[in-house]
């Protein structure tokens, strides 16, 4: 066997995070500017599965990682799920994991890692792994990171295309009438999604009618945004982002820095901006016309963004 590699992109949520956990629609797109790549090479006979996490400078034998450690959840559990699915024994392989996706930043690093690990392992074992089979496996791996994932991260990352997603239903693709560019600014503050999801759950349990109304409005925004994208009405997309951000603030998942990054992006010319993903840290996204790209980037950096990426949502063929 020669070495085989597989990769998976990051993702951004354009509309509907948190409300999606409660059945409302959300829109997400792949972020190909960041990737996880996993290379599988043959290992010594009897050596088992060895995983080298290049970024952490750590090499672990899968059989020896404690099942309650974060390393197990991120690296070993996805491999176990795939081997169970293929009914394959633990192979003698060395996996090398490289990632440019920041962890706990709302960019889907966990789902991308699981996707790339499973793809590389399947390729090394010569097994077919269609996306429709991979997606539920990555969802299982996601559950380990936070108890009640909606399924949006694994779906957009496995299929690597923009999706309109309603929990429990097949992901829908949709037409993009006019291309547009989103800037992605990383606050540099990591914030585990399971904590914000749990806090929103507590808020919901304390006052279901109020929270259900907020979720319903976020759902209406996601539906309206889909229509704007399908008709090329970029003028309405920015204000919808701003309103979605205000509602996420009410869900207590924004932060001073995320609010400031959205504010400076808008002041520098962005059509709209909102936090993206679990919140309290992680990233914001901003809808930016070409002419405003330089001032928006400068403003975001000055306000404290540790990195600014952009992604182009292509027009449908
Ligand atoms: O994984 P993140 O941080 O991009 O956020 C996931 C989006 C949430 O709606 C907050 C949770 C979920 O499972 O959909």
């Amino acid at each position: 066997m020669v070495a085989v590699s597989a990769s998976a992109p990051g993702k951004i949520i354009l509309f509907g995070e948190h409300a999606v956990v409660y059945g409302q629609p959300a829109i997400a797109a792949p972020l190909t500017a960041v990737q996880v790549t996993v290379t599988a090479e043959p290992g010594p006979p009897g050596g088992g599965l060895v995983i080298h996490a290049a970024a952490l400078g750590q090499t672990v034998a899968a059989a020896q990682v404690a099942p309650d450690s974060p390393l197990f959840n991120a690296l070993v559990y996805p491999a176990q799920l795939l081997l169970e699915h293929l009914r394959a024994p633990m192979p003698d392989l060395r996996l090398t994991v490289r990632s440019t996706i920041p962890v706990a930043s709302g960019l889907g690093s966990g789902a991308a890692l699981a996707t790339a690990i499973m793809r590389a392992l399947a390729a090394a074992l010569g097994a077919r792994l269609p996306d429709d089979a991979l997606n539920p496996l990555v969802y299982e791996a996601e559950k380990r990171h936070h108890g009640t994932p909606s399924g949006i991260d694994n779906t957009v990352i496995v299929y690597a295309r923009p999706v309109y997603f309603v929990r429990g239903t097949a992901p829908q693709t949709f037409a993009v009438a006019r291309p547009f560019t989103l800037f992605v600014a990383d606050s540099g503050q990591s914030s585990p999604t399971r904590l914000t999801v749990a806090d929103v759950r507590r808020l919901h349990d304390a006052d279901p009618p109020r929270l259900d109304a907020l979720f319903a409005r976020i759902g209406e925004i996601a539906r309206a945004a889909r229509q704007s994208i399908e008709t090329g009405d970029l003028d309405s997309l920015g204000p919808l982002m701003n309103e979605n951000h205000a509602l996420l603030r009410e869900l207590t998942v924004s932060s001073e820095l995320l609010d400031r990054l959205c504010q400076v992006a808008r002041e520098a010319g962005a059509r709209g901006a909102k936090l993206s993903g679990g919140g309290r840290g992680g990233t914001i996204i901003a809808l930016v016309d070409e002419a405003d790209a330089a001032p928006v980037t400068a403003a975001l950096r000055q306000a404290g963004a540790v990195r600014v990426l952009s992604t182009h949502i292509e027009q449908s063929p």
Side-chain angles (χ1 to χ4, degrees):
M1 181 203 134
V2 290
V4 288
S5 288
S7 40
K11 71 97 206 357
I12 46 174
I13 296 182
L14 275 56
F15 292 95
E17 49 274 272
H18 287 289
V20 69
V21 176
Y22 298 81
Q24 297 294 338
I27 297 176
L31 180 67
T32 50
V34 287
Q35 298 266 342
V36 175
T37 303
V38 176
T39 304
E41 296 161 280
L49 183 66
V50 172
I51 306 177
H52 173 60
L56 304 175
Q58 279 208 47
T59 302
V60 295
Q64 279 159 25
V65 183
D68 56 355
S69 75
L71 220 50
F72 180 90
N73 295 348
L75 300 173
V76 181
Y77 190 55
Q80 275 187 357
L81 285 171
L82 192 270
L83 294 171
E84 272 166 31
H85 172 77
L86 298 177
R87 297 197 168 80
M90 191 63 91
D92 295 327
L93 286 174
R94 178 184 168 91
L95 301 184
T96 301
V97 177
R98 292 192 174 79
S99 177
T100 54
I101 309 181
V103 175
S105 297
L107 296 179
S109 65
L113 194 53
T115 300
I117 286 174
M118 291 186 195
R119 279 189 178 138
L121 259 181
L125 297 172
R128 244 174 51 77
L129 184 62
D131 289 347
D132 290 346
L134 173 60
N135 195 31
L137 294 174
V138 181
Y139 180 69
E140 277 308 305
E142 281 281 278
K143 278 198 199 159
R144 191 111 189 172
H145 291 292
H146 63 101
T148 56
S150 64
I152 191 167
D153 276 23
N154 49 285
T155 300
V156 67
I157 285 168
V158 167
Y159 294 97
R161 54 176 194 240
V163 294
Y164 179 87
F165 180 87
V166 179
R167 186 172 190 169
T169 68
Q172 301 170 43
T173 49
F174 53 92
V176 178
R178 266 174 70 190
F180 55 95
T181 299
L182 292 167
F183 276 45
V184 182
D186 183 357
S187 68
Q189 297 174 334
S190 67
S191 165
T193 297
R194 80 190 141 72
L195 297 185
T196 53
V197 168
D199 282 355
V200 172
R201 171 77 56 194
R202 268 191 287 277
L203 281 183
H204 180 263
D205 290 350
D207 189 352
R210 187 175 89 84
L211 271 285
D212 285 339
L214 291 174
F215 296 146
R217 179 60 198 143
I218 293 175
E220 280 170 31
I221 290 173
R223 278 184 215 98
R226 174 178 176 164
Q227 210 180 3
S228 301
I229 295 170
E230 285 178 330
T231 57
D233 177 11
L234 299 188
D235 288 341
S236 65
L237 213 49
L240 288 170
M241 290 172 76
N242 293 339
E243 194 190 341
N244 195 161
H245 182 76
L247 291 161
L248 287 162
R249 284 190 57 172
E250 285 197 49
L251 293 180
T252 74
V253 297
S254 191
S255 70
E256 259 178 52
L257 180 53
L258 295 180
D259 288 345
R260 190 160 73 242
L261 292 172
C262 289
Q263 187 60 30
V264 299
R266 292 179 197 124
E267 284 167 9
R271 288 170 176 267
K274 63 180 277 294
L275 73 83
S276 177
R280 298 250 173 88
T283 54
I284 66 118
I285 56 171
L287 178 62
V288 180
D289 291 340
E290 178 83 54
D292 301 309
V296 171
T297 306
L300 285 168
R301 282 197 195 287
Q302 211 190 345
V306 295
R307 102 190 73 199
V308 180
L309 305 168
S310 68
T311 186
H312 201 58
I313 311 291
E314 301 290 347
Q315 189 169 346
S316 307

